[in-house]
Amino acid sequence: MADHKVLAGAHVVLPTGIVENGRVIVDGDRIAGAAPEATPALDLTGHWLVPGFVDMHNHGGGGASFTSGTVDDVLKGVHTHRLHGTTTVVASFVTGEMDFLTQRAGLLSELAEQGDLAGLHFEGPFISPCRKGAHDETLLRDPDPADVRKLIDAARGQAKMVTLATELPGGIDSVRLLAEHGVIAAIGHTDASYEQTVEAIDAGATVATHLYNAMPALGHRAPGPIAALLEDERITVELINDGTHLHPAALELAFHHAGPGRVAFITDAMDAAGFGDGRYMLGPLEVEVKDSVARLVEGGSIAGSTLTLDRAFKRAATIDGLPVEAVVQAISANPARLLGVYDRVGSLEPGKDADIVVLDAAFDIKGVMRKGEWIVDPTAGAAV
């Protein structure tokens, strides 16, 4: 009985809707359907219980970079995001030399194998120099399927996603290769036309890497990739909901067209997330973070974000006025499905990992549980 915990009295967000005055029962590291009668309950009246957040696009945090940090650095970055409710995180790399990326993939695949990471995402080097954002142009290359294959092989089954400018030579063949290997082909950092984007979707691409950012704007005669990505039911669109990357109207447009089942909130966080202003390195490029906005020192391009998913959740539920159930879909269920881990995480259902976030009435974090253990204890209001 000591292994059971009962969380009672909260608004519980389930896949079927919101249960008022609901209960979530934890048995060990899993969500359970019932608990012994005498199990004491933690009263969370007035709070929200939602599934742990799932971030499928994240470059680091807590001062640590997933692209270049040591194993301890990476674990520190993962822990930083856990404190903000992200119980499942994919490590994203920025563009680097191929040898460096394969070496990093080997190193971080071990952390994925032991469950600290939910897999790896290669954002670059197969992206457009015209839409490079905060990537080193000298290291970019066309998406040759042989090179793409090298990276996914180096990740030893832990590669979850590769972002490609699919209009470049080899782009469509690389999309097919990724689809055959069960790796998400994501369209991003692209200069593609509408027609080229449709071709890539038909070849098997399923994700839009941070929709709107690092791609041509929506045009009325040349609609570009945004229209193609929003209209196609096969595409999930990533959105960085930090108030800097997207105007609220752009977010609203994406939600209206794609619907809550096809949006994934991401952080695209770099190492300053949860750490503060200052100078950082993003791969080989220097970044200045000022007032929580990260920009390249050279040229001023936005360089990832300092976002944590609890802030994205709060902004979506308050400023953007989205229904809480829709926010939970975008921040937990949809990315979990895409990553192939929805059988374990992404919703509060019996049998799944006890990954639970407690939010107060203002949607601020009060508790974070991962696999049945409190990382942020709601009774103490602090990290354990």
Side-chain angles (χ1 to χ4, degrees):
M1 193 170 91
D3 267 355
H4 282 86
K5 300 180 181 81
V6 177
L7 314 179
H11 318 289
V12 179
V13 184
L14 300 176
T16 49
I18 297 170
V19 177
E20 301 298 340
N21 193 21
R23 285 155 54 92
V24 175
I25 296 160
V26 176
D27 180 5
D29 61 358
R30 298 291 176 90
I31 296 171
E37 270 183 40
T39 307
L42 175 61
D43 182 8
L44 292 171
T45 302
H47 291 69
W48 292 88
L49 283 184
V50 300
F53 309 147
V54 180
D55 193 354
M56 57 189 274
H57 187 158
N58 184 320
H59 297 278
S65 161
F66 295 154
T67 300
S68 56
T70 64
V71 166
D72 284 348
D73 288 338
V74 172
L75 292 173
K76 181 184 173 191
V78 169
H79 183 67
T80 297
H81 285 280
R82 284 179 185 168
L83 295 176
H84 293 275
T86 299
T87 49
T88 301
V89 65
V90 168
S92 300
F93 300 147
V94 293
T95 295
E97 296 277 7
M98 285 292 290
D99 287 350
F100 173 75
L101 290 173
T102 55
Q103 180 260 325
R104 289 301 292 176
L107 182 73
L108 266 61
S109 65
E110 289 184 29
L111 295 181
E113 284 158 9
Q114 63 197 39
D116 295 301
L117 296 169
L120 312 179
H121 164 216
F122 297 96
E123 188 182 15
F126 312 114
I127 61 176
S128 171
C130 324
R131 304 284 172 181
K132 64 183 185 293
H135 292 253
D136 185 341
E137 187 168 347
T138 63
L139 298 174
L140 301 183
R141 53 176 61 214
D142 289 339
D144 180 320
D147 285 340
V148 174
R149 180 68 194 264
K150 242 179 242 172
L151 290 189
I152 59 176
D153 284 350
R156 301 205 303 257
Q158 300 300 328
K160 290 290 185 178
M161 184 159 69
V162 178
T163 292
L164 308 157
T166 51
E167 75 279 7
L168 295 174
I172 298 299
D173 286 340
S174 289
V175 169
R176 292 197 183 101
L177 171 82
L178 291 166
E180 282 165 18
H181 284 80
V183 179
I184 295 164
I187 300 172
H189 288 274
T190 176
D191 205 40
S193 66
Y194 174 88
E195 290 76 16
Q196 287 171 320
T197 307
V198 168
E199 185 187 3
I201 298 168
D202 286 341
T206 55
V207 165
T209 295
H210 45 54
L211 186 76
Y212 299 113
N213 299 117
M215 59 182 66
L218 190 61
H220 61 290
R221 288 198 189 89
I226 293 169
L229 294 163
L230 277 179
E231 73 185 5
D232 199 299
E233 295 294 320
R234 295 169 289 183
I235 292 288
T236 299
V237 298
E238 294 182 346
L239 296 175
I240 308 170
N241 194 23
D242 61 355
T244 300
H245 280 77
L246 299 177
H247 189 284
L251 180 98
E252 165 62 29
L253 181 74
F255 252 93
H256 179 76
H257 278 277
R262 286 181 45 221
V263 172
F265 281 143
I266 58 159
T267 59
D268 193 17
M270 45 87 74
D271 38 0
F275 203 65
D277 288 0
R279 290 255 173 146
Y280 297 86
M281 298 303 293
L282 187 61
L285 303 180
E286 194 173 14
V287 173
E288 174 144 33
V289 178
K290 189 175 175 187
D291 300 329
S292 296
V293 177
R295 291 186 180 276
L296 288 186
V297 172
E298 291 285 320
S301 175
I302 292 180
S305 83
T306 61
L307 187 62
T308 48
L309 281 181
D310 57 334
R311 282 184 23 230
F313 193 114
K314 179 169 179 161
R315 184 179 177 87
T318 56
I319 294 169
D320 300 316
L322 294 170
V324 175
E325 307 99 304
V327 181
V328 167
Q329 267 187 280
I331 219 161
S332 299
N334 297 342
R337 279 198 187 92
L338 280 167
L339 295 171
V341 293
Y342 189 67
D343 59 326
R344 300 200 312 274
V345 300
S347 67
L348 300 179
E349 294 176 276
K352 291 196 176 187
D353 289 353
D355 290 0
I356 301 167
V357 174
V358 183
L359 301 168
D360 66 14
F363 298 104
D364 289 318
I365 290 253
K366 288 297 161 194
V368 181
M369 178 185 283
R370 185 173 188 272
K371 294 193 174 178
E373 299 290 332
W374 289 115
I375 295 169
V376 177
D377 187 335
T379 58
V384 176

